[in-house]
Amino acid sequence: MIRRFATSEDGAAMVEMTIVSTLLFALVLGFVDFGNAFYQWNAATKAVQIGARLASISDPIAPQIATAGVTTLPGAPIPAGNFDFICNGATSVCSCAGSGCVPGTFSAANFNRIFRGDAAGAGTCPTLAAGQRPGMCHFFPRLQPANVVVRYTATGLGYQTRAGGPVPTITVSLQNVTFQFFFLQGLMGFANIAMPSMLSTVTGEDLKSTYP
C-alpha cells in the first residue's frame, strides 16, 4: 500500500497546472499593468503638450512678465536671460532670476486656465460645458496642480513696450508623478515607480486669454 502510494502520479497534472497557472497569471497581469503604465505615459505627455499650448495663448501665471525686461530704451529688444519666471503649482509661487526680474506673484486664476481649461473654479478636474476648451487635467485625470511647473524665459524675442509684452519661451513640465500599478502592487507588492521627467517647450504668442 505504501509502495503504491509512493509511486502514484495521480494529481501530478493538477499540481503542475497550479504552478504554471500562477506564473502565467503573473505574466499576463504584468503585461496589463505595464500596458496601463504606457497609457499613463502617453496621457501625461499629451497633458504637457496641451498645457504648453494653453500657456502660450493665456494670461501668464506671473503677471509681471508684461512689464519685465529693459526699460531704459523703449522699443529695444528683450535680451536673452533678462528674466526667468518659474511658477510651481506645488507651492503657488513664481520665483524669478535674471537682470530684469522683479518678484513675481502667482495668479491662481491664470494657472487654473492652463490646468483646468475654460471651466471656472479650482480643485478637481471639472466637467466641461459645450464649447469650453479642455485643460491639462482632462488629458491625464490623475494629474494634480502640485505636479505642474510652468517656466517663462526671455530668449531674445519681442521688444519693450510691445502691446502684448515680451515674448517668452514657455516650458511646461511635470514633477512627482508616478506610474500606478494595480495587479502587480496588490498581488506581488510591486511599488509605484516615478515617472521620468517630461516637458514641452513653445514660444509665447499673445499671452492673452480675452480680447476687447
Side-chain angles (χ1 to χ4, degrees):
M1 187 74 175
I2 296 177
R3 182 180 301 174
R4 180 182 176 185
F5 178 78
T7 58
S8 175
E9 294 184 0
D10 293 344
M14 183 175 66
V15 173
E16 292 171 355
M17 185 60 186
T18 301
I19 296 173
V20 172
S21 297
T22 301
L23 297 176
L24 180 62
F25 278 124
L27 186 62
V28 170
L29 295 179
F31 279 130
V32 172
D33 255 355
F34 278 100
N36 183 47
F38 185 67
Y39 162 77
Q40 294 174 55
W41 169 266
N42 282 336
T45 300
K46 188 62 178 179
V48 166
Q49 294 171 349
I50 292 298
R53 174 58 184 163
L54 287 174
S56 72
I57 58 173
S58 301
D59 296 316
I61 302 172
Q64 287 78 9
I65 291 176
T67 55
V70 293
T71 58
T72 55
L73 298 173
I78 302 298
N82 194 252
F83 62 83
D84 186 359
F85 289 93
I86 301 177
C87 300
N88 193 325
T91 59
S92 297
V93 169
C94 289
S95 62
C96 187
S99 59
C101 262
V102 293
T105 56
F106 184 100
S107 171
N110 295 346
F111 178 87
N112 286 332
R113 182 176 293 275
I114 297 169
F115 183 79
R116 295 164 51 91
D118 288 339
T124 58
C125 204
T127 300
L128 296 171
Q132 289 186 322
R133 294 176 301 182
M136 296 178 68
C137 65
H138 295 97
F139 291 87
F140 188 30
R142 280 186 46 226
L143 200 62
Q144 299 296 319
N147 300 133
V148 180
V149 178
V150 183
R151 182 175 185 177
Y152 302 87
T153 307
T155 51
L157 301 175
Y159 54 90
Q160 188 63 29
T161 69
R162 174 180 175 270
V167 181
T169 294
I170 302 172
T171 301
V172 176
S173 59
L174 300 183
Q175 61 183 357
N176 303 324
V177 182
T178 60
F179 291 112
Q180 286 195 340
F181 297 99
F182 179 71
F183 297 111
L184 293 181
Q185 186 179 47
L187 297 177
M188 303 176 65
F190 198 88
N192 294 335
I193 58 177
M195 188 177 293
S197 177
M198 62 186 69
L199 55 84
S200 181
T201 300
V202 298
T203 300
E205 295 183 18
D206 283 341
L207 295 178
K208 195 172 184 181
S209 301
T210 58
Y211 293 87

